[in-house]
Structures are given as structure tokens and as C-alpha cells.
């Protein structure tokens, strides 16, 4: 282990090629940030402790890079050697010099108009392997760039954007493959998880999240409703190298609010799927919300934590699901180990031992509208979470509130929005938000920091800190043990992205995109 | 301008009109809006009413029953800027049968545009209760009995503390549901609070409670205007609590203070303001 750590430190200093081994041992390379969730387990935990609870107060920007892109930036930057790699909305990307904060190269590809996007042409980041970067373009292509120059090495069409398919998630490199998801859950797509050859861009395998005729699970869809069943995969999954399983969250069934014509559980929507990394075959699934009618995609980070549950050591995978419940599953077989509500819920009385929610009647959307808690965007949504092995706590943001859901009849037309209803804020209720620290084995809340709006993503560090941006432009550092705010800084633009941490020339940095500005913070 | 010369003499108007007619481009100086509208009306009756109807309602006169656009809606297919209207009048729409009126010259065309604009103002709109109200009477109530200007600004007058009343309606068109919402907002302000106008309640360390509206409100600070009009910044660290509540700072008794007819007048006035302020 020591030897690996040493070689990796050298590798990070030189910016040498990233290997599968590097990615497997990301924890031993604290200087870099080489994947969406920092390690395969999706912890977003930096082992760096130079910035810590006792000295964080004077933290200040070392440099600010106005990217010039859109402010709607949800991207996790990668750091390797003396470079940072950042993507932006509408197919922009930049390489940044860590010494000066200046741009080294740009990548841009025009996005066609009329794309089926619920929430803007966002992009959530790069993946890296060797000296190659990988990102999706919003018109459903996957592109590989030369990390030194930004030159396009290959670009593969993932799907037809005129049929409602788009792409926003950061890819996940596993072995010599680039694994990626697809967006378009409000456009009646048929979702999947794909793996591509990192060298050539050729597709290795595809797992459809909606089974076809004759396949297991199709019986959970009435008639031919599976054909426009949705099941998007718009947030990056995680990977367990020992089990060789990829964990990926699946989005809502289509049409979102009207479930009348798709009676049944609608597998594998609103589920976590575990896929064999070599073949893409389904090993197990767990469906959080059978027959969802509230747009509760199960896209929250599936974070891999080894836990002690009821006195037994287990390989866990946890998810703060959009439906308002926190879940602990056995990641070897998908069995439910623990569950707990983390926000106000009025649609279920709890989760049964079989993992199915115990439904409260009359919570489906109606023509007149039905008040349901949580609201359409859920308790927690997609925003990156963090786990600190130092505190043993798991951190995520929530919206605590309710919305009025309505439905209407809608015919499916390929390439057109297929939501069949929507939601609105109740006039007299002020929704609030929280940053929660929970015991990952039980979901029990250890501390709660109240915010105006849900955290756009988190970072935990060995300095005993949790970092979060907020929608009013503050970057905040909290004591990871207590939730006490220790530092905040007004960045000048709404933050929609998660922070990262890296080390360069002996100094620890915290970096985040605020609006369209990339900012790196360090101690004076 | 009009006020300054009112009651003295008609001469200045005539002089200005003369200056106007001497201009060679479309961007005339202010000849007095009413004057331009009146001149435009005369032209309209001759040149446009045969197809568009005497009041611009469309599908009238010799082309009754055909698809001649209604000009009273305040939105125009070819664009809503004066330039767009001028372009259509000058060039016509050959495919539709609308001829060019370039021969009228810039000043007359400008006057036509002024008249067409006047067609879509909500002070001549039909409809329900609010439409039967008098915008003029409403204006009196707004500044007088209701003292609405204490928290709402219209133009340079009043205090811009509450929501901008010129927004919330589609350009120039009278919208019954918008009028109904407006009435509800006056009578029951807490039914549907405009985002950003929730009441902020701060408990200070010396145990005073400050209620007001916020210029901004975030996780660390807020700048509050209290009911006395005092404005200051509070840091969350320096107070006991700071929160937004789904309550309105607007008085809750307008439903009792105003008669139904007065509410109609008030709504008519605000709808008129909205329509006017949405013009370019």
C-alpha cells in the first residue's frame, strides 16, 4: 500500500497518466481529484487536513477564473498534476493552470436548439483515464479529449437527441471503459446505462433500465406503456472493484404524473441497479418507489460504505432517496438493511420489511391537485453528498416541504415533453431546507443545519470540515462533527455545484464553481 | 408638458404640431400624445377602418368575417415595438392583402401608431366587475383612502416597498383572471404572497421583534425595511433569530375598508397602470 501511495504522489505531481489502479486507490492520492465522487465509493471525502476546524477562518480566494460560460454550472472539477479540468453548460470545457488560475485550453461544441431539457443544458463533469478526458455533450454524444491540448480524440453518438435523449452526467471510468447514463425522463425515452471502450469510443454493453417484451420486469408495465417508460440515468453511479459491480440510480417512469396507463411497478424506474461491470448484466435491483407518480427519480448518489448494522458488519450502499426516505442496502445482494424518513413525508407510513412503501391513500396527483410531501424535487435530489470516515457521518441536503401535484391526460408524441401534469408550491407554505448529518447505518439525524434552499452539493475533509455552497452565493464551512458554521464567503454568484479539495505545491485548496466563476480558496 | 400649458392657450400645441409635421423621420418629438392619437384616429378611420373596423377590433367593414387582425389586444403578430408597427404600415403584408401605406409619410404613420397603441389600453376594456370600475376613481382611492402609495410606487410617486404593480399582466390586454387575482391580493394579501415579499421577523438580542420586508434575505444576513420605513442590515450571528414567514406586511382590512364598487375602481386603475407600463 505504501509503495502505491508513493508512486501516486509522484504521479500526481507530474500529471502522469491515470490508470485503473490509480482510480481504485484514490484515497491514497490526496492531492488529486480524479473522478466525480473522488473515489469509486462516491464519498467526496478529501484526506487533506491542512485546512481544518482550528484555522479555517482566514480562508480566501487564491484566484478566480471567469469561465465566460453560463451561470448554470453544476460541474465537479477534476485535478491532476498542475491542471484542473472543468466542464460547463452547453458543451463548454476548460483546462486551468493551477499556478495562475489561467485557462490553458477551451473546448466548445455547439448545442442544437430544441433539445428536450427539463433543467437547462447542464453538464456535471469530466472523467479521466490515461491522458484522456471524457465528457458527454448535451445532444447525447460522448467525447474524448486529449488532456494536454483539449483536442477531440473521438466522439460517439449515444442517442438521437431529436427523440428526447440528452446527456448531462459526468461519466465513470471503470477498467478500460467509460460508463455513462442518459437523460430525458420527461420525454418518454427508454433509459439505459452504457459502457464504451475508452480507447475507441465503441460501445461495449448497454443495460436498458426499462425491459423490453420478453425480458424480466416487462410484466410490471401495463400494455405497451414500457415503450415510453422513461427510466433516465442522469447522475453518475459508483463502483465496487471487489464485487466488480456498478451501482447506478434510475429516474422516474413516464409520463411523470399520470400513472393510469402504466399500471404496475414500472421496473426498473426509481430503482438502484447493480450491474456486472464487464457485461452490464443486472445483478440485483432495489426499487424505492414502485409506480412513481411524483417524479421521484432514484438518482441520489449511491454511496458505498462498510457499516455495522444491527451488530453485523455489512457492505452497505446508502441513498437519501428523493421520496423522503433514507435507505441502507446490502450492496452484495440489494437487500434492505435499514430505512428512515429524513424529511416530512405524507405519502407513506413507512417502508415494509419487503422494501415497499406502506402507502397512504389519495396521494396521487389529480386534476384538481393533491398536496404531497416532499414536493416534486424531492427531499434530497441529485446534489452530491459526502461521507466522512473520520466522523463516521453521512451528509446531504434536503428540501423540507410539500407541493401540489396535478395530472392531465397526454398522448405520447416522440421527441415531445411527456409529463402529463406538474406541481406547484402551495400558496401559504414556506418550504425550508436542511443540511443533514446522519448516522449512515441508521439514517438517524446527528445534526441539522437549516438553510433557505437545498445545498447544491457537499465536500467532507479530514480537516473535520464539511463544505457547501448555497444558492445566494455563499461558500460555507461547517464543523463536520457539530454542524456549527465556522466560515462563510460571499462568492458573488449563485452556487449550483459541489466543492472539491486538492493540494498543489504543498498547499491545500478548496475549489468550486460559483455561477460561471471558478474559484480556488487557500489559507494565507 | 401638457399640464404646463393647460388652460393658457392652444397655441403651443399648434406650434408643436407644426414642428412635428416638418420632421422627416419617424421619431417625432412629443407633440402631445392626445393630439397625436386624435390625428391618428382621423387617419385610421379613412385608411384602416375599412378592414380593421372603426375601433380596430378586426374583421370589420368590407372584410367582415375574414381574418383581419384585432388591433385592440396589445400584442401584434409582426412584433410589438413601434418599429414593427411602422414597418408593417410602411411595407404592408403583401401575402395577406394588407397594402403599403408608405405614401402617408413618417409623421402620419407615427400618429397612426399612437392611435393603434391607444386601442389596447385597459381604460377602455370591457368586462366583469373590475372593468366596470373607474380607473380615475381608483387612482383617487389608491393615493387617498387606501394610502397604497405608502408601500407601492407608481412611476416616481409612492414608495417602492411592495411588489411592482405594473407587472403581472400580459401586455396591454385586459385579463379577467389577472384582475381577479389582483382583487384577491388586495382583500386577502396572505392568500398568494409574491415571492420575495414574505414577512421577515427578527428577534434582536435586546428582545425586540422587528417585522418588515427584506431587500435581500440569505443564510447569513438580511436587510430589512420595517413598518416605520427604517432600513438596516442584520447579521444572523448578531440576533437571536431571523426568519421568513408566509405572512403579508400589507394591511389585512382592505376588504372592510373599501366597498365592492371601490374595489372595482382600484383594480381598474392598477390594470390600467399595468397596461400602460407594458407599452414600450
Amino acid at each position: 500500500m505504501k509503495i502505491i501511495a508513493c508512486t501516486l504522489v509522484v504521479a500526481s505531481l507530474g500529471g502522469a497518466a491515470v490508470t485503473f489502479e490509480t482510480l481504485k486507490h484514490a484515497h491514497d492520492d490526496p492531492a488529486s481529484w480524479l473522478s466525480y465522487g473522488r473515489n469509486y465509493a462516491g464519498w467526496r471525502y478529501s484526506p487533506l487536513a491542512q485546512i481544518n476546524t482550528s484555522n479555517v477562518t482566514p480562508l480566501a480566494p487564491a484566484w478566480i477564473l471567469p469561465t465566460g460560460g453560463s451561470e448554470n454550472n453544476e460541474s465537479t472539477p477534476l485535478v491532476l498534476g498542475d491542471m484542473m479540468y472543468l466542464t460547463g453548460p452547453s458543451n463548454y470545457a476548460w483546462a486551468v493552470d493551477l499556478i495562475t488560475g489561467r485557462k490553458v485550453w477551451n473546448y466548445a461544441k455547439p448545442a442544437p436548439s430544441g433539445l428536450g431539457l427539463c433543467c437547462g443544458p447542464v453538464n456535471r463533469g469530466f472523467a479521466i483515464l490515461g491522458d484522456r478526458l471524457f465528457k458527454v455533450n448535451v445532444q447525447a454524444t460522448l467525447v474524448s479529449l486529449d488532456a494536454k491540448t483539449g483536442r477531440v480524440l473521438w466522439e460517439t453518438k449515444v442517442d438521437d437527441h431529436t427523440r428526447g435523449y440528452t446527456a448531462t452526467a459526468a461519466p465513470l471510468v471503470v477498467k478500460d471503459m467509460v460508463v455513462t447514463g442518459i437523460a430525458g425522463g420527461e420525454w418518454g425515452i427508454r433509459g439505459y446505462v452504457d459502457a464504451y471502450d475508452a480507447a475507441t469510443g465503441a460501445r461495449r454493453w448497454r443495460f436498458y433500465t426499462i425491459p423490453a417484451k420478453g425480458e424480466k420486469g416487462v410484466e410490471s408495465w401495463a400494455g405497451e406503456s414500457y415503450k415510453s417508460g422513461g427510466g433516465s440515468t442522469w447522475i453518475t453511479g459508483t463502483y465496487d472493484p471487489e464485487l466488480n459491480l456498478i451501482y447506478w440510480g434510475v429516474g422516474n417512469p413516464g409520463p411523470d404524473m399520470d400513472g393510469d396507463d402504466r399500471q404496475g411497478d414500472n421496473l426498473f424506474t426509481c430503482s438502484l441497479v447493480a450491474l456486472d461491470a464487464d457485461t452490464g448484466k443486472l445483478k440485483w435491483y432495489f426499487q424505492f418507489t414502485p409506480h412513481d407518480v411524483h417524479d421521484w427519480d432514484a438518482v441520489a448518489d449511491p454511496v458505498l460504505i462498510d457499516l455495522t448494522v444491527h451488530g453485523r458488519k455489512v457492505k452497505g450502499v446508502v441513498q437519501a432517496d428523493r421520496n423522503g426516505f433514507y435507505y441502507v442496502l446490502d450492496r452484495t445482494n440489494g437487500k434492505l438493511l435499514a430505512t428512515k424518513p429524513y424529511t416530512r413525508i405524507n405519502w407513506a407510513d413507512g417502508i415494509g420489511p419487503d422494501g415497499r412503501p406502506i402507502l397512504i391513500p389519495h396521494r396521487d396527483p389529480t386534476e384538481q391537485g393533491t398536496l404531497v410531501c416532499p414536493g416534486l424535487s424531492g427531499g434530497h435530489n441529485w446534489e452530491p453528498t459526502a461521507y466522512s470516515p473520520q466522523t463516521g457521518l453521512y451528509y446531504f441536503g434536503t428540501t423540507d416541504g410539500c407541493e401540489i401535484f396535478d395530472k392531465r391526460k397526454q398522448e405520447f408524441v416522440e421527441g415531445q415533453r411527456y409529463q402529463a401534469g406538474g406541481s406547484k408550491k402551495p400558496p401559504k407554505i414556506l418550504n425550508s431546507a436542511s443540511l443533514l448529518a446522519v448516522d449512515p447505518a441508521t439514517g438517524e439525524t446527528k445534526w441539522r443545519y437549516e438553510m433557505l434552499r437545498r445545498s447544491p452539493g457537499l465536500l467532507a475533509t479530514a480537516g473535520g470540515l464539511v463544505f457547501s455552497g448555497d444558492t445566494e452565493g455563499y461558500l460555507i464551512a461547517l464543523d463536520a462533527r457539530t454542524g456549527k458554521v465556522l466560515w462563510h464567503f460571499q462568492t458573488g454568484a449563485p452556487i449550483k455545484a459541489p466543492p472539491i479539495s486538492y493540494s498543489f505545491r504543498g498547499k491545500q485548496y478548496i475549489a468550486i464553481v460559483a455561477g460561471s466563476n471558478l474559484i480556488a480558496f487557500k489559507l494565507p | 408638458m401638457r399640464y404646463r400649458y393647460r388652460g393658457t392657450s392652444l397655441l403651443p400645441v399648434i406650434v408643436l404640431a407644426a414642428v412635428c409635421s416638418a420632421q422627416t423621420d419617424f421619431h417625432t418629438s412629443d407633440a402631445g400624445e392626445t393630439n397625436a392619437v386624435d390625428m391618428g384616429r382621423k387617419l385610421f378611420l379613412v385608411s384602416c377602418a375599412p378592414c380593421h373596423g372603426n375601433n380596430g377590433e378586426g374583421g370589420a367593414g368590407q372584410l367582415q368575417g375574414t381574418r383581419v387582425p384585432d388591433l385592440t389586444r396589445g400584442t401584434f403578430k409582426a412584433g410589438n415595438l413601434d418599429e414593427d408597427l411602422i414597418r408593417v404600415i410602411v411595407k404592408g403584408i403583401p401575402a395577406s392583402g394588407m397594402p403599403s401605406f408608405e405614401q402617408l409619410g413618417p409623421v402620419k404613420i407615427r400618429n397612426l401608431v399612437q392611435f393603434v397603441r391607444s386601442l389596447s389600453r385597459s381604460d377602455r376594456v370591457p368586462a366583469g366587475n373590475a372593468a366596470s370600475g373607474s380607473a380615475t376613481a381608483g387612482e383617487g382611492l389608491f393615493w387617498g383612502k387606501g394610502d397604497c402609495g405608502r408601500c407601492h410606487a407608481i412611476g416616481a410617486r409612492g414608495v417602492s416597498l411592495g411588489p411592482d404593480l405594473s407587472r403581472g399582466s400580459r401586455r396591454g390586454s385586459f385579463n379577467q383572471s389577472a384582475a381577479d387575482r389582483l382583487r384577491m391580493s388586495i382583500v386577502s394579501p396572505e392568500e398568494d404572497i409574491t415571492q420575495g415579499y414574505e414577512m421577515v421577523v427578527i428577534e434582536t438580542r435586546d428582545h425586540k421583534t422587528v417585522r418588515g420586508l427584506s431587500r435581500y434575505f440569505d443564510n447569513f444576513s438580511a436587510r430589512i425595511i420595517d413598518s416605520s420605513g427604517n432600513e438596516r442590515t442584520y447579521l444572523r450571528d448578531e440576533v437571536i433569530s431571523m426568519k421568513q414567514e408566509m405572512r403579508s406586511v400589507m394591511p389585512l382590512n382592505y376588504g372592510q375598508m373599501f366597498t365592492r364598487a371601490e374595489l372595482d375602481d382600484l383594480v381598474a386603475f392598477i390594470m390600467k397602470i399595468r397596461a400602460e407600463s407594458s407599452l414600450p
Side-chain angles (χ1 to χ4, degrees), chain A residues 252-272:
Chain A
N252 61 282
D256 302 42
M257 268 81 229
D258 183 4
D260 293 353
D261 294 333
R262 52 171 173 83
Q263 293 300 325
D265 282 355
N266 305 145
L267 294 171
F268 297 96
T269 63
C270 299
S271 303
L272 182 65

